[in-house]
Amino acid sequence: MEKKNHWKAWLYLAPAIVLLLVFTVWPIINTLRMAFLEGYDMGQEIGGASFSFGFDNFVNVVEFYRFKSCMLTTILLTVITVPISTMLALVIAVALNSIKFVKKTFQTIFFLPYVTNTIAIGMVFMAMFNRIPVGDTYSYGIINNVIQAFGGEPINWINGGSSYAANIAVLSIYIIWNALPFKILVLLGGLQGVDKQYYDAAKIDGTSRFRTFWRITVPLLSPMIAYVVITGFIGGFKEYSSVLGIFGPAMGPGNHEVDTMVGLIYASVGEQQGQASAAALILFVIIFAVTMVNMYVSKKKVHY
């Protein structure tokens, strides 16, 4: 009887399967195809043109004058933001798990950035760090106003003439803040599943809070920590909306100073579909390699 009713299950799944095939599977296959077609142009293909198989698209992407800077910015943002956001999320999750009063309120507050449009958040950050000329002086955002209130000199964070370090600092703050809600949610869920007997035994032994955190909480949360680290690295290498939200289509205070690999795919070589596909495959290989390394390390460090 079960086998006779299998067709009903496939019928119920059919709409989702069709959508996945059209919007996920086919684009992946088409990207692979376009990446190896030299000088590919969709308009010419529709007109009946044919293209030879080769690796010129990959060579052109690697030799593109902004490839190295885009790769450097992507790696730098990932290396800075993933460890910091993970550590902050762990500390906040532990703090939230230890309080009872207004716990749900704080959970809601920390979760708000996750359900807010990233471009809108980027525009808010742009206003916070902005510097607008007003006559012979400047009107500063709230960040520089706070710096001045403590006697410091205002910093040109994101406007023309600002340094690369200042741009990376603003982007890192934005990405860390935006990444916290998801990581806090995952880690807090893991903490709530930890058996309280471990902590009771630690109290009886007179173990310090730091040692309890390091020897009990971290090992028991290691599967969740590994998960948020791996997904953090994947998200870091795909970073794009934060740069777009703060700096706009210029992807920098001037012209593509803080462009990322995804920005390279969309803006720099996007008009040449073959090269854009090749760049997407290069990024996929990098993300896959980093993920495999993370999973290999996790096998040795994670306690299930």
Side-chain angles (χ1 to χ4, degrees):
M1 290 296 294
E2 291 182 359
K3 291 183 178 180
K4 291 181 180 179
N5 292 326
H6 279 178
W7 68 271
K8 293 182 179 179
W10 286 109
L11 182 64
Y12 298 146
L13 290 173
I17 293 173
V18 170
L19 289 174
L20 284 173
L21 290 174
V22 173
F23 294 105
T24 302
V25 178
W26 167 244
I28 292 173
I29 296 173
N30 198 37
T31 298
L32 286 168
R33 183 181 69 90
M34 291 189 296
F36 292 97
L37 295 178
E38 297 181 356
Y40 177 83
D41 183 273
M42 187 180 295
Q44 295 180 15
E45 185 182 43
I46 295 174
S50 59
F51 305 93
S52 59
F53 180 89
F55 297 91
D56 282 358
N57 289 327
F58 294 92
V59 174
N60 292 335
V61 169
V62 174
E63 292 180 348
F64 187 64
Y65 77 102
R66 293 219 56 85
F67 177 80
K68 291 182 180 178
S69 63
C70 291
M71 180 62 72
L72 174 64
T73 300
T74 303
I75 293 174
L76 193 59
L77 287 173
T78 303
V79 170
I80 292 173
T81 60
V82 173
I84 295 176
S85 62
T86 302
M87 288 187 289
L88 282 175
L90 180 58
V91 171
I92 294 171
V94 171
L96 282 175
N97 192 56
S98 64
I99 63 174
K100 302 299 181 184
F101 181 66
V102 297
K103 179 178 179 179
K104 297 295 183 181
T105 303
F106 278 112
Q107 283 182 259
T108 303
I109 292 172
F110 280 112
F111 191 68
L112 282 175
Y114 192 68
V115 294
T116 306
N117 183 275
T118 54
I119 300 298
I121 296 173
M123 294 177 69
V124 172
F125 267 74
M126 179 183 67
M128 290 170 60
F129 288 91
N130 208 358
R131 184 186 72 171
I132 303 172
V134 180
D136 296 331
T137 60
Y138 290 98
S139 174
Y140 295 104
I142 187 172
I143 301 300
N144 274 321
N145 287 335
V146 171
I147 293 174
Q148 288 179 307
F150 284 93
E153 291 294 326
I155 300 171
N156 183 7
W157 295 100
I158 60 174
N159 300 94
S162 59
S163 66
Y164 180 76
N167 300 158
I168 292 296
V170 175
L171 285 171
S172 297
I173 294 170
Y174 169 85
I175 295 169
I176 290 169
W177 182 79
N178 197 42
L180 282 177
F182 175 74
K183 294 183 178 182
I184 291 172
L185 182 68
V186 173
L187 295 174
L188 187 59
L191 279 170
Q192 291 173 349
V194 173
D195 193 339
K196 298 298 185 290
Q197 291 181 358
Y198 293 107
Y199 296 109
D200 294 338
K203 287 180 180 179
I204 294 173
D205 293 338
T207 308
S208 65
R209 288 188 177 182
F210 177 78
R211 190 170 178 81
T212 301
F213 171 79
W214 189 250
R215 294 295 184 180
I216 297 177
T217 303
V218 172
L220 292 176
L221 279 182
S222 55
M224 279 64 74
I225 294 173
Y227 172 74
V228 297
V229 168
I230 291 172
T231 54
F233 272 100
I234 293 173
F237 276 99
K238 297 193 298 180
E239 198 60 54
Y240 171 69
S241 58
S242 60
V243 185
L244 186 66
I246 295 174
F247 294 99
M251 303 296 283
N255 186 28
H256 295 279
E257 288 89 347
V258 285
D259 206 349
T260 60
M261 283 298 296
V262 176
L264 177 74
I265 295 169
Y266 277 114
S268 301
V269 294
E271 295 181 359
Q272 302 179 24
Q273 295 94 343
Q275 292 186 29
S277 299
L281 283 182
I282 292 172
L283 181 60
F284 167 77
V285 171
I286 294 170
I287 293 175
F288 181 79
V290 172
T291 303
M292 290 299 102
V293 171
N294 277 320
M295 293 183 68
Y296 176 77
V297 173
S298 297
K299 288 182 179 179
K300 296 180 177 296
K301 300 295 183 181
V302 173
H303 303 276
Y304 292 98

